Amino acid sequence: SRALSGFSMANRTDPTAQTVHGTNPQYLVEKILRTKIYNHPYWKEHCFGLTAETLIDRAIDLKYIGGTYGGARQPTEFICLVLKMLQIQPEQEIVLELLKNEDYKYVRALGAFYLRLTGRAVDVYQYLEPLYNDYRKLRKRLPEGGYAIVHVDEFV
């Protein structure tokens, strides 16, 4: 019972977080996927206790984008970090810094995905439109487990 209560505390949204589109930010990810993420070793080992600053270090290590893959539909590290961002709700300046990052394309992709989920239409247009000029290749994890190549401008 005690271990279970500690588990649920680690998965709660930051109490200072504001609602996004009228709901708890984590609810933008479906319950089944959230549960899979909470139970995934990457979430337990690498996402626990992350702050907005340390999350960027994890994002630098990303090797591909994607949602779930494989027979059991395991969550990717990318979608785990998206949920963590929804949980801690980083300041807009931090999200904009992710978008401006030209050294790490997966950091930029993470920021773009988060802004697309949470941003107002005017912000999405203003901050994501310049990314249409980024033609770098991204590896995308496919549901069956393989990979495909997409470009940053397509992903945005």
Side-chain angles (χ1 to χ4, degrees), residues 19-111:
T19 61
V20 174
H21 306 302
T23 189
N24 178 330
Q26 288 192 81
Y27 293 170
L28 295 174
V29 175
E30 289 188 12
K31 182 172 179 26
I32 292 171
L33 180 54
R34 277 196 324 266
T35 303
K36 286 182 179 194
I37 291 171
Y38 296 153
N39 292 324
H40 196 269
Y42 182 80
W43 177 266
K44 293 176 181 177
E45 294 171 16
H46 300 288
C47 294
F48 182 80
L50 283 181
T51 64
E53 292 79 22
T54 57
L55 183 129
I56 294 170
D57 295 333
R58 292 281 173 235
I60 287 172
D61 295 336
L62 288 173
K63 304 288 183 239
Y64 51 85
I65 59 172
T68 60
Y69 66 94
R73 294 288 179 242
Q74 296 180 61
T76 62
E77 295 170 3
F78 180 84
I79 204 70
C80 289
L81 291 180
V82 168
L83 184 62
K84 190 62 178 184
M85 287 182 76
L86 291 169
Q87 188 182 66
I88 63 176
Q89 209 174 44
E91 308 242 343
Q92 185 168 7
E93 294 80 40
I94 293 174
V95 176
L96 297 181
E97 284 304 314
L98 295 177
L99 294 174
K100 292 176 188 172
N101 189 316
E102 297 199 9
D103 297 328
Y104 299 98
K105 57 190 175 187
Y106 296 106
V107 170
R108 180 175 262 191
L110 183 67

Side-chain angles (χ1 to χ4, degrees), residues 108 116 128-138 150-156:
R108 180 175 262 191
R116 175 81 67 192
L128 295 187
E129 174 130 358
L131 301 187
Y132 287 139
N133 296 319
D134 188 343
Y135 304 111
R136 291 180 293 175
K137 295 178 181 179
L138 296 170
V150 296
H151 297 87
V152 173
D153 64 318
E154 295 174 83
F155 177 71
V156 169

